Amino acid sequence: MKKRLLLAATALLLAACFLTGCSLVGVNEDKARELAVAKVNGTTIKKGDYDDYVSYYLSMYGIDSSDTSNEELVSSIKTSVLEMLIEEQLVLQQADEEGLTRDNEEIKKKAEETVATQKENLLSYATAQAESEKESDDSIDVDKRAQEILDEYYENQGLTEEILLQQACDSARYDMMYEKTIGDQTPDDAAIEQKYKSLQAEQKTQFTETPSDFVSATGPIAWNPAGYRYVKHILIAFDEEIQDELAELEQSEEEADQEKWATRSQEEAKKLQSKVDEILKKLDDGESFDDLIQEYSDDTNGKADEDIVKNGMLAGDGVNLVEPFLKGAMALKKVGDVSDPVVSSYGVHLIQYFSDLKEGAVPLADIKQEISDTLKEENETAAWTEAIEAWKEKAEIKKYENRM
């Protein structure tokens, strides 16, 4: 379970309900919301709170709970939410035992700061709505109307300053209990080196057998496979309408559309030939490829990304690049070479072979901090999970799953 998964969602849930007009508390709803879906050491977890969080997570996935095609996922979300609410209650009960109560001065201060931020955010939503209303009625006083919207919202949700502070206090208590429980899980150098060697051995085998796994790998990379390089490029882009037309043709499985793509892309490329020739002449005259990128390239993202500007972009098996570009990049023979014009659905590219990704072990110094951070997170998760399970073992937990 991730730290504060439910409590951290509270602010998002408040904002979502403000924008959509949903009801969290449901002051006018029937008594079903007051029923228990679970009890933890005698403390009730209310069906209303449970339903609100289930609805929130379903909306995150874009799922309608009545859609029978998603029954398995809906059931999984419902089960997970109940377990998280139970675990949250266990943590807060443990916090009480440790003296981390709502009247703790440090907790109260954190809660007041949180509520102040929440209220500022809600006021900004209300102000935006009031400004929108003013567009069709110039007589509206935005500040006054925003406060009216906010007051209506608080009333409809059954929210008060006290309730917001209680929620924020519980969030702070949970945080402090988490930090107290996990302690300092920073790994020592021996653990880091052991993890490094383990990663290196695993990745050498994996990336040698399936090089494309290197591209999709997450976490520290301790071994680089052969066959990857860094490239830079100058893009002379087609107009957006042409890009859309070519992309649609390129994605089609019809042979006629593929032939049309080849013809249309070359037709459009010819219109850019004079600019391509201008760039090639400057390269022949000794101008820097990097300078020409800044002067001519329409790839604004690449020009703004400091890492790409400095090191280029990765090319090789499994890298998410359009096929003509990838083929052109990998066809270059030696570092420093520049391709002939390469045509894609984006436009015309001039590609420079900038450098090779060095095959073999990545020096420990290059990834030591990343390994340390990974190990620390793994250790914290393990310590927290162990604590949660221990509290569950001691607790009296009763679930009313027929009310879910």
Side-chain angles (χ1 to χ4, degrees):
M1 173 184 171
K2 291 185 179 179
K3 173 187 172 189
R4 287 187 60 212
L5 188 54
L6 282 177
L7 287 171
T10 300
L12 295 174
L13 188 53
L14 283 170
C17 286
F18 184 92
L19 294 171
T20 62
C22 71
S23 176
L24 285 178
V25 182
V27 290
N28 296 318
E29 293 182 10
D30 62 43
K31 296 179 181 179
R33 290 181 60 88
E34 297 299 314
L35 293 174
V37 290
K39 289 187 177 181
V40 181
N41 294 322
T43 299
T44 296
I45 295 174
K46 295 180 180 180
K47 177 173 171 58
D49 294 331
Y50 165 80
D51 286 344
D52 289 336
Y53 280 111
V54 168
S55 296
Y56 170 72
Y57 283 106
L58 288 176
S59 68
M60 283 180 61
Y61 286 97
I63 295 173
D64 183 342
S65 60
S66 63
D67 184 353
T68 56
S69 66
N70 286 309
E71 280 183 353
E72 188 174 340
L73 181 55
V74 170
S75 177
S76 175
I77 289 173
K78 287 182 174 181
T79 300
S80 295
V81 167
L82 184 61
E83 288 302 315
M84 287 188 288
L85 282 167
I86 288 170
E87 290 177 9
E88 178 185 288
Q89 187 55 233
L90 281 169
V91 173
L92 294 177
Q93 290 179 6
Q94 194 66 28
D96 283 335
E97 291 185 20
E98 298 288 341
L100 300 175
T101 57
R102 286 177 179 170
D103 58 2
N104 178 290
E105 288 302 319
E106 183 180 357
I107 288 170
K108 286 167 66 175
K109 182 179 178 182
K110 288 178 181 290
E112 288 165 359
E113 292 171 353
T114 298
V115 169
T117 301
Q118 285 180 345
K119 290 170 72 174
E120 285 177 11
N121 291 338
L122 291 172
L123 181 59
S124 71
Y125 295 136
T127 301
Q129 185 174 327
E131 289 172 344
S132 177
E133 292 178 9
K134 186 177 176 64
E135 291 177 5
S136 56
D137 183 354
D138 193 54
S139 67
I140 289 176
D141 181 320
V142 170
D143 291 340
K144 182 179 179 181
R145 177 58 185 143
Q147 190 58 53
E148 288 174 354
I149 292 169
L150 197 57
D151 290 343
E152 290 169 6
Y153 168 73
Y154 283 136
E155 182 177 355
N156 290 337
Q157 300 303 325
L159 289 173
T160 64
E161 183 92 7
E162 182 181 3
I163 289 173
L164 289 173
L165 280 170
Q166 286 177 355
Q167 292 173 342
C169 276
D170 286 346
S171 181
R173 293 166 63 213
Y174 193 110
D175 274 356
M176 294 174 73
M177 193 64 215
Y178 177 87
E179 297 298 336
K180 184 173 184 177
T181 301
I182 64 170
D184 183 5
Q185 296 292 341
T186 304
D188 58 23
D189 286 348
I192 293 171
E193 185 169 358
Q194 182 180 3
K195 181 70 171 180
Y196 170 69
K197 290 178 178 178
S198 172
L199 282 171
Q200 196 178 105
E202 291 170 7
Q203 292 176 355
K204 180 179 180 180
T205 299
Q206 180 184 3
F207 298 160
T208 300
E209 293 177 354
T210 313
S212 59
D213 284 356
F214 162 72
V215 178
S216 58
T218 57
I221 298 296
W223 183 271
N224 290 329
Y228 288 84
R229 60 182 59 176
Y230 290 99
V231 299
K232 297 184 177 183
H233 80 129
I234 299 168
L235 169 66
I236 305 99
F238 297 140
D239 291 339
E240 286 189 16
E241 296 82 0
I242 300 300
Q243 289 186 23
D244 292 342
E245 176 194 345
L246 290 173
E248 186 174 347
L249 290 170
E250 188 177 21
Q251 291 165 13
S252 171
E253 296 181 359
E254 297 295 329
E255 185 176 345
D257 286 338
Q258 293 300 314
E259 291 175 356
K260 188 175 180 181
W261 178 89
T263 301
R264 288 286 294 119
S265 61
Q266 290 301 323
E267 288 173 352
E268 294 300 323
K270 285 179 182 178
K271 298 176 185 178
L272 304 177
Q273 189 61 47
S274 61
K275 183 174 282 189
V276 172
D277 290 341
E278 182 181 328
I279 298 169
L280 289 172
K281 185 178 185 307
K282 288 188 176 185
L283 282 171
D284 287 342
D285 291 342
E287 290 199 33
S288 159
F289 196 88
D290 284 351
D291 290 343
L292 293 174
I293 289 174
Q294 294 303 318
E295 182 178 353
Y296 286 99
S297 184
D298 293 319
D299 181 4
T300 53
N301 290 335
K303 289 164 71 171
D305 189 312
E306 292 183 7
D307 185 57
I308 292 178
V309 170
K310 181 180 179 181
N311 301 310
M313 64 180 76
L314 187 69
D317 186 20
V319 179
N320 186 25
L321 297 170
V322 292
E323 186 177 355
F325 185 98
L326 184 58
K327 282 185 175 179
M330 300 309 292
L332 295 168
K333 300 299 183 184
K334 63 181 185 296
V335 171
D337 282 354
V338 176
S339 70
D340 292 330
V342 172
V343 181
S344 77
S345 293
Y346 292 104
V348 180
H349 309 260
L350 293 172
I351 306 169
Q352 182 193 53
Y353 185 171
F354 182 68
S355 67
D356 288 304
L357 177 69
K358 186 178 179 181
E359 179 188 3
V362 176
L364 174 58
D366 291 357
I367 56 173
K368 183 176 181 179
Q369 187 59 54
E370 189 178 2
I371 291 175
S372 177
D373 293 343
T374 299
L375 280 174
K376 183 178 180 182
E377 184 176 349
E378 290 174 357
N379 294 343
E380 288 175 350
T381 299
W384 186 239
T385 300
E386 183 180 350
I388 291 286
E389 292 305 313
W391 296 333
K392 280 184 177 179
E393 283 289 323
K394 295 189 297 181
E396 183 181 341
I397 299 171
K398 185 170 180 58
K399 303 176 186 178
Y400 303 92
E401 295 180 348
N402 60 314
R403 297 173 182 172
M404 289 170 58

